[in-house]
């Protein structure tokens, strides 16, 4: 098998080692796509040159071998789910961490882990038909969240982002309207029953809070790992319910992934237009580099070994 490991800041290498058969309870998956996630940018960008570090946790592929004690799976089944590290051509993962990929979804767009995160976050918001909903931050996760929100028949669904390319994608994927953060500040204040924040930035979070109506819901789902965050005490006076979109509980994310795959099978959610860049295992540094360079039409990169 071949796998990628980080050996210095912004520098990876590919290592080849003998294949290892799956252990009891595991299956071996030939990786067909693994998502390049911004949450793994820090260990790639700031590696100290010491012990090599393996990355990758968004898995999609095909079962090629089955360990003892595994039932219900067959060689050739397409699967997606949880595994780490998966920047490799073959990985052994727990069979209980996988779900079948729907027949109408290509493997390169069946990234179950981020799908589960998005669906879990939206499941906390008590969405009902007719609600006014805004999604702040239209990156890969935000555009997924917008589609989940659209599946609940909102009365108004607005996407907010400074990037004109992702705003255009949002309209294609179900938004009734889109705007820049500046436009939102000027015209949408206190206008939404539910606001889902996927910007991962302090200004984006502040804007999301400002858009929530009295007794509305603010769902914080963006990846916030680059500094302190503040929430305005006015949210308390407006009786806003603040929800953490993350969960560490595996049973919850597995249930969310199953629901997300059902939405994909029903053609109500797709990652296909969001996969904008592809890299090989030998070129994983280019994939992470997109987070630094931010090409105009970049949304998501995947590694195809």
């Amino acid at each position: 098998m071949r796998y990628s490991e980080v050996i210095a800041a912004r520098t990876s290498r590919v290592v080849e080692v003998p294949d290892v058969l799956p252990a009891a309870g595991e299956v071996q998956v030939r990786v067909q796509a693994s998502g390049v996630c911004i949450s793994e940018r820090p260990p790639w960008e700031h590696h100290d040159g010491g012990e090599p570090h393996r990355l990758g946790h968004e898995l999609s592929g095909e079962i090629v071998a089955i360990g003892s004690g595994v039932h219900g799976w067959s060689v050739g089944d397409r699967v997606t789910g949880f595994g780490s590290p998966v920047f490799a051509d073959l990985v052994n993962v727990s069979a209980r961490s996988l779900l079948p990929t729907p027949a109408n979804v290509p493997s390169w767009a069946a990234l179950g882990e981020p799908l589960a995160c998005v669906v879990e976050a939206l499941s906390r918001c008590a969405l009902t038909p007719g609600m006014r909903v805004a999604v702040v931050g239209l990156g890969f996760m935000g555009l997924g969240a917008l589609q989940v929100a659209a599946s609940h028949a909102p009365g108004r669904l607005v996407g907010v982002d400074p990037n004109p390319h992702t705003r255009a994608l949002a309209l294609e994927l179900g938004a009734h309207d889109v705007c820049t953060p500046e436009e939102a500040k000027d015209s949408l204040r206190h206008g939404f029953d539910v606001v889902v924040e996927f910007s991962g930035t302090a200004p984006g979070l502040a804007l999301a809070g400002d858009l929530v109506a009295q007794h509305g819901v603010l769902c914080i789902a963006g990846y916030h790992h680059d500094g302190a965050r503040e929430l305005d005490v006015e949210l308390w006076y407006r009786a806003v319910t603040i929800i953490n979109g993350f969960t560490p509980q595996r049973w919850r994310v597995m249930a969310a992934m199953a629901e997300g795959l059902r939405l994909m099978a029903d053609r109500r959610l797709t990652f296909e237009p969001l996969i904008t860049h592809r890299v090989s295992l030998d070129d994983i540094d280019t994939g992470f580099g997109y987070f630094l360079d931010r090409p105009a039409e970049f949304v998501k990169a995947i590694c195809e070994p």
Side-chain angles (χ1 to χ4, degrees), residues 122 125 127 131-138 142 145-146 149-150 154-161 175-179 184 188-198 207-213 217-219:
L122 272 290
C125 298
L127 293 170
M131 279 186 165
R132 301 162 297 172
V133 181
V135 178
V136 177
L138 300 175
L146 185 136
R156 187 183 188 195
L157 178 58
V158 177
V160 183
D161 198 277
H176 299 135
D177 196 8
V178 294
C179 62
L188 302 180
R189 181 177 173 85
H190 302 177
F192 294 90
D193 304 305
V194 176
V195 178
V196 184
E197 181 276 322
F198 262 109
L207 173 62
D210 200 39
L211 299 184
V212 187
V217 170
L218 169 62
C219 179

Side-chain angles (χ1 to χ4, degrees), residues 43-174:
W44 169 80
E45 187 176 7
H46 304 299
H47 191 280
D48 62 6
E51 187 73 18
H53 193 52
R54 295 181 60 184
L55 300 174
H57 61 270
E58 300 179 0
L59 171 65
S60 178
E62 177 182 318
I63 293 176
V64 295
I66 297 176
S68 63
V70 174
H71 307 285
W73 292 109
S74 301
V75 171
D77 285 347
R78 292 192 308 129
V79 294
T80 184
F82 296 89
S84 181
V86 298
F87 287 149
D89 57 1
L90 292 172
V91 294
N92 295 330
V93 299
S94 169
R96 294 184 178 275
S97 296
L98 301 173
L99 290 176
T101 298
N104 62 311
V105 179
S107 291
W108 56 265
L111 300 178
E113 191 274 344
L115 175 65
C117 293
V118 166
V119 174
E120 168 63 20
L122 272 290
S123 74
R124 314 266 189 95
C125 298
L127 293 170
T128 57
M131 279 186 165
R132 301 162 297 172
V133 181
V135 178
V136 177
L138 300 175
F140 175 67
M141 302 290 276
L143 287 167
L146 185 136
Q147 294 176 74
V148 176
S151 73
H152 289 269
R156 187 183 188 195
L157 178 58
V158 177
V160 183
D161 198 277
N163 187 328
H165 174 67
T166 57
R167 292 200 305 272
L169 277 175
L171 290 172
E172 293 178 11
L173 295 172

